[in-house]
Every structure is written in structure tokens, then in C-alpha cells.
Amino acid sequence: MEKKEEKEPINEEEYAKYKEIFDKYKNESNVISENEVNNILNECGRKTTLKQTEELIKKINQDNERSTIDFNNFVKLMKTENIESLEKEEDKNEKKTLTNCQIYLFMLLLLITGSINTTANKLQQNTISLDVKYAGHQKFITFCMFNGELLCLLFYWIKEGRFANKKEEKSEALITEGDNNIEEKKPKKAKIWYFLFPALFDILGSTISSISLSFLPSSIYQMFRGAVIIFTCSSSIIFLKNKYYRHHFFGIFIVVVGLVIVGLNAVINGGSNGGENIGFGIFLCVLSQAFSSGLMVTEEKLLKGFETPPLKAVGLEGMWGVICYIFLLFIFYFIRCESWPDFLKNGVCINDKETIRFENAIFAVKQIWDSSLLKAYLSLYVLSIAFFNFSGLTISKNVSSTARTIVDTLRTIVIWLFFLTMPFLPEDTKETFYWLQLLGFLVLILGSLIYNEILVIPFWGFADNTKEAIKKRKKEEKQKEELEKELEEGKQEEKEEDNKKKDNE
């Protein structure tokens, strides 16, 4: 019976293969050392560190003292389906270092800082300093945004310093010891200049987005930022060859319907700020999301193709954004707007009392210096950008990107309520409630929930290819394969037993 139980998990071909490997590496005591086991695992493509291999051997042996392994336990080790789980154990431990209370605090931080991003931008643009409205400094505001992203490098360096020892262990783990030489297996690391490409998309997207805010009420601006999923889906299909399914396209269709309703409300009612150029603002906002989708696609390409922590990636994008914008601000200073149409002169350019320029960073600094309100709004804006990225990445890592999507949806509600209810806001910043806008917003939420699989439609095939459904299907297929394999092994054993009986007879 014992023999039968030992043989059941593997077939004869696997047994012979493991015996051959074991015989090659065993020592005089008929066991294999942890160093040799580590080499075998790495040669089989299972990347493990020496420390992880040691823990695995102790686990298989059920003995904390033994650092060698015999043949029976070696077979068990090689049959372990998820040997790489030990490699991910540290990541899981890091993932669970936050308590539920801390996770909720990070969600709250994401909601607050995300809401501050838009409100602080809008309030800056509607502040008067040196007898001139700050609106028109959207380019300088975007420059400040990149300084906020650059702060993420500070968070990254703090984190690196805190986990320095763990990082050293991981780098040592990538060295595989051979018999006569040492082969270093390091993951590909993205070069710093690679992040210039997403930064360029961010420059275009964020600048146009900030300009569109001058023409739109904050709530409508925030709602139209939901158009990003339309362009992201298209770009992902074309450039990343990602696969999308029926429920994704249905979600996008509903988002488009929601955007049309919100847009109709804005045009019909002229916007609570009395702007007659709402249509132009909507066009700019949607255009900005096209560039933002390019940012997301290039970021995904870099983060999947290279070993780069997301926090560092955001910081490097901020660095390139700051560098590029220093040159752009110099160029913008010499672009004169006197001959431009009035709605562009008033909404896009800045009158510095001498002339009308596309941007005047020097005058922007003078206005900030003269106004305590601008100082407060700008400080809130820059810090909120940094903490928004930091808390967002923390939630994605410790919970899920779906949780981040839910918080982002709530952000729109907070911004809308703020500009509807706050009594201290300037009259040209306050908003008016419209039922049609609420309907459009609810439709937008519905589309976003379906697209992100938070809400699953259980009919007409919409639930067939969600992440959970695909995962369940793969699990069932795997179980079916294992069952078929067991049946084949059982039949083979029956044949062997019949043959033995016949030989005995």
C-alpha cells in the first residue's frame, strides 16, 4: 500500500526524470544539499533565492534543522505546483503590513487629495491677484503639477531606505551559483530616459485638461474625464494587443450615453458659470483624455516590460515633465495673443498688464507672492498631486485597482457637492444643481461599474468573460485535466496488475 501511495502523484516518466536529476546531484549520504537544490530549481526556471530554498526544504522535511533533502522529499518538492509562492511571500507580507484601518485611511486620503486636485486648480484660476485673474496660467499650474509628481521620488527614496535590507536580499537572490561560475540573472530595468515618452503624453493631456477647466464647471469637467476609458480601450487594443470583451464595450457604450447627457445639460443650461463656450471646453476635455490614454498605455508598457516600481515611475515622469516645461514656459512667454479671438484671449492667455501672452511664469510667481489665497491653493495642489499618486499606488498594491476606481468615482461626487454647497466660493465658481446632469452622472457611474467588472450583468453573455469567469473556467479545466490524468494512471495500474496476475498464473 505504501508503494502505491508514493507512486500515485507521479507517472513513471516523471519518476525517472526526478531520479536522474537526484542521482546527478546527490552526495555520499544519498541526499542533496540546499545549494544544489537551489541550482536545480533555477535551472528548471523556478526563480528562488537560497534563503527561500532553505525555507522550502524545511517545510517539505517538516524539520527546522535539516538543510538537506532525500529522494522522496525531493519528489514532493518538485511536484509542488507553486514553488514560486515562496518568492512572493515577502511581497504578500509587505501587502499585509497595512491593517484594515490603515487601508481605509489611505482610501480617505485618496478621496480627499483627488478632490483637492480639481478644486484647487479651479480656485486658483478664479482668484484675482495684482488686479488680474489668475485664469490663463493653466500652463504654469501644469508645471506645478509635475513638481508634485516629482515629490513621489522622495516617497520612493524614503521607502527604499526603509526596506534597504530586503532589497539587498532580493538582489542577491538573482544570482544563481553554477558549478564553476556565477551567472547573474537580473530583471530588465527601464532607463531613465524611457519615461520621457509618458511624460510627453502627460504634458499634452494635463495642459489641455487644465485649459478646458477654464471653460467648464468643475463637476462637468470631472465627469468628462471619464471619457478616458474610451481612448484607453482603443489604444490598448491597437498598441498593446489587449483583449476586451462584450461587457467592456457595453460599459463604454453606456459611458458615451452618460457623457452625451452631461454634455447636453451643459450646453442647454450654459453652465453655472455663465460660459458661452461650454462646447469648446468639452472638446478640449475629451481631447485631453485621448492624450491621457497614451500616457496610460506607455506607462503600462514600461511597467510590464521592465522592473520599475510604480512610485519611482511617477517620480521620473514628474522629473521629465519639469525639465520639458522649463523650456516650454520660456517659449510660451514669447507667444503673443493680441490678435487671437476674445474667448481664447480671456480663457487661454494671460494679460500681464503690458501685453497678452500665452504664458508668463514670472508674472504668475508675482501673483502668487502677492496673494495668500494663491499660496494656499498652490500648496494644496502640489501636495495633493504627490499624496494622490502615493495613496493611489498604495491602494492598488494592498487592495486592488477596482477599489481605486470606486474611490475615483466618489471623487466626482465630492467635487460636485463642494461647488454646489460651499458658501464662501466666488459667484463665478459656484454651481447650480440640474436633474439632467445627475441622470448623466448616474449613467456614467453605471458604465464605469460594468467596464471595471464591479457590476456584472448575468445574462446575454456579458458575464462569460469577466476576470472571475475566466479564472473559474481555467480552474475547472485544470481540475478536468488532473482528473483525466488520474483516470489514465488508474487504468495503467489496473493493466499492470492484470499483467502481473496473468504472469503469476
Side-chain angles (χ1 to χ4, degrees), residues 243-248 453 456 461-478:
K243 199 167 185 180
Y244 288 85
Y245 299 98
R246 188 180 302 180
H247 64 280
H248 292 120
E453 300 178 12
V456 177
F462 287 111
D464 292 349
N465 291 299
T466 59
K467 288 175 186 173
E468 284 298 318
I470 292 169
K471 189 178 176 182
K472 187 180 176 183
R473 196 155 57 238
K474 284 182 178 176
K475 189 178 179 182
E476 287 172 354
E477 286 171 1
K478 190 177 177 183

Side-chain angles (χ1 to χ4, degrees), residues 120-132:
N121 191 337
K122 187 69 174 178
L123 291 171
Q124 281 181 83
Q125 294 191 34
N126 283 273
T127 301
I128 296 172
S129 177
L130 297 176
D131 300 322
V132 177

Side-chain angles (χ1 to χ4, degrees), residues 286-305:
V286 173
L287 178 64
S288 72
Q289 299 316 297
F291 290 111
S292 294
S293 71
L295 163 67
M296 291 180 184
V297 168
T298 50
E299 276 183 339
E300 186 178 339
K301 191 81 173 172
L302 284 171
L303 291 174
K304 283 186 176 179

Side-chain angles (χ1 to χ4, degrees), residues 110-122:
L110 182 70
L111 179 63
I112 293 169
T113 54
S115 304
I116 289 171
N117 289 350
T118 300
T119 53
N121 191 337
K122 187 69 174 178

Side-chain angles (χ1 to χ4, degrees), residues 338-404:
E338 287 91 344
S339 60
W340 290 22
D342 287 342
F343 79 97
L344 285 178
K345 275 194 291 189
N346 297 329
V348 178
C349 302
I350 186 72
N351 188 340
D352 59 12
K353 294 184 177 182
E354 293 178 7
T355 186
I356 304 173
R357 304 177 188 275
F358 190 55
E359 184 56 273
N360 186 340
I362 298 168
F363 187 62
V365 172
K366 286 179 181 177
Q367 284 185 285
I368 293 165
W369 188 260
D370 186 68
S371 170
S372 56
L373 272 178
L374 276 178
K375 288 190 190 84
Y377 295 150
L378 181 63
S379 300
L380 280 171
Y381 182 66
V382 172
L383 289 172
S384 70
I385 290 291
F387 281 100
F388 177 72
N389 284 288
F390 176 63
S391 55
L393 291 168
T394 304
I395 288 170
S396 293
K397 180 182 175 182
N398 288 273
V399 190
S400 69
S401 55
T402 303
R404 191 174 177 177

Side-chain angles (χ1 to χ4, degrees), residues 151-164:
L151 278 177
C152 286
L153 274 182
L154 177 63
F155 291 126
Y156 173 71
W157 288 330
I158 291 169
K159 185 184 172 187
E160 285 296 286
R162 186 181 171 189
F163 296 109

